[in-house]
């Protein structure tokens, strides 16, 4: 067995990962896991998973929020074929996302929304209404961020919703 492309990013304490193949794009924050025998260890994704190492929790949540937002997902679906090519790492070049800036209140709000969604998903009985509400707020923030940073991912939330409903 062999693993290629091993680097420091693989062992970063905060990573955002997504499947490289499939019909639905969803990103997730990979955390380190505690094993009672081995201690704290990173989750190692397989070769069919793309991931980005992040410098901290807020940066990881921000990137995860952007990638899961309606505007970014609509952009990804527009230039990335479903199936084997949906989540190739090259999507980041096409999205041209700005790095997380802790002094940017919009970036921090996006990270906070991702954190809220994560907490809802970890509840014993997650509330679909809360999830949908926060996801809609996230989409609006992501559209606002794209417009403010003029990075080519400017889509109106209505366009995103109609393209998602068509899927």
């Amino acid at each position: 067995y062999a693993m290629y492309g091993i680097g420091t990013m693989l062992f970063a304490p905060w990573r955002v990962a997504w499947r490289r193949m499939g019909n639905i794009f969803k990103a997730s924050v990979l955390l380190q896991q505690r094993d009672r025998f081995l201690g704290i260890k990173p989750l190692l994704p397989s070769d069919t998973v793309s991931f980005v190492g992040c410098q901290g929790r807020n940066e990881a949540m921000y990137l995860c929020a952007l990638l899961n937002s309606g505007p970014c997902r609509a952009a990804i679906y527009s230039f990335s074929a479903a199936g084997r090519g949906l989540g190739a790492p090259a999507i980041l070049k096409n999205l041209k996302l700005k790095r997380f800036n802790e002094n940017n209140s919009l970036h921090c709000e996006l990270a906070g929304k991702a954190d809220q969604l994560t907490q809802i998903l970890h509840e014993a009985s997650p509330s679909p209404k809360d999830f949908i509400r926060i996801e809609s707020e996230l989409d609006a923030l992501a559209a606002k961020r794209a417009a403010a940073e003029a990075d080519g991912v400017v889509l109106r939330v209505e366009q995103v919703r109609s393209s998602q409903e068509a899927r």
Side-chain angles (χ1 to χ4, degrees), residues 26-29 64 68 113-128 130-132 134-135:
K26 281 287 185 180
S28 179
V29 175
C64 190
N68 285 329
K113 292 296 175 199
D115 207 11
Q116 286 178 345
L117 288 170
T118 300
Q119 289 174 17
I120 288 172
L121 290 173
H122 284 104
E123 291 175 0
S125 300
S127 165
D130 287 343
F131 186 86
I132 291 167
I134 294 170
E135 195 172 51

Side-chain angles (χ1 to χ4, degrees), residues 71-85:
C72 278
R73 287 180 46 211
I76 290 166
Y77 292 139
S78 75
F79 60 73
S80 190
R84 297 188 79 169

Side-chain angles (χ1 to χ4, degrees), residues 2-135:
M3 288 183 73
Y4 302 97
I6 303 298
T8 56
M9 184 171 62
L10 180 63
F11 300 102
W14 296 95
R15 289 164 292 151
V16 176
W18 59 92
R19 291 186 315 179
R20 234 187 276 183
M21 296 183 239
N23 296 327
I24 298 173
F25 183 89
K26 281 287 185 180
S28 179
V29 175
L30 295 182
L31 305 174
Q32 295 180 339
Q33 297 297 307
R34 179 177 297 280
D35 182 90
R36 65 183 181 151
F37 299 110
L38 302 174
I40 297 174
K41 297 292 179 189
L43 292 174
L44 298 180
S46 75
D47 64 335
T48 59
V49 175
S50 298
F51 64 94
V52 174
C54 298
Q55 302 204 358
R57 178 183 180 84
N58 286 342
E59 181 182 20
M61 290 295 177
Y62 162 79
L63 180 58
C64 190
L66 283 181
L67 291 174
N68 285 329
S69 71
C72 278
R73 287 180 46 211
I76 290 166
Y77 292 139
S78 75
F79 60 73
S80 190
R84 297 188 79 169
L86 180 65
I91 63 168
L92 295 176
K93 290 179 186 173
N94 291 330
L95 292 175
K96 300 175 187 166
L97 303 173
K98 303 275 194 251
R99 278 188 111 25
F100 175 72
N101 178 351
E102 64 187 27
N103 297 318
N104 184 320
S105 61
L106 199 49
H107 289 197
C108 293
E109 279 186 82
L110 281 160
K113 292 296 175 199
D115 207 11
Q116 286 178 345
L117 288 170
T118 300
Q119 289 174 17
I120 288 172
L121 290 173
H122 284 104
E123 291 175 0
S125 300
S127 165
K129 287 182 181 178
D130 287 343
F131 186 86
I132 291 167
R133 177 183 52 78
I134 294 170
E135 195 172 51

Side-chain angles (χ1 to χ4, degrees), residues 132-145:
I132 291 167
R133 177 183 52 78
I134 294 170
E135 195 172 51
S136 293
E137 292 170 4
L138 177 114
D139 286 345
L141 284 171
K144 184 177 174 182
R145 184 215 55 90

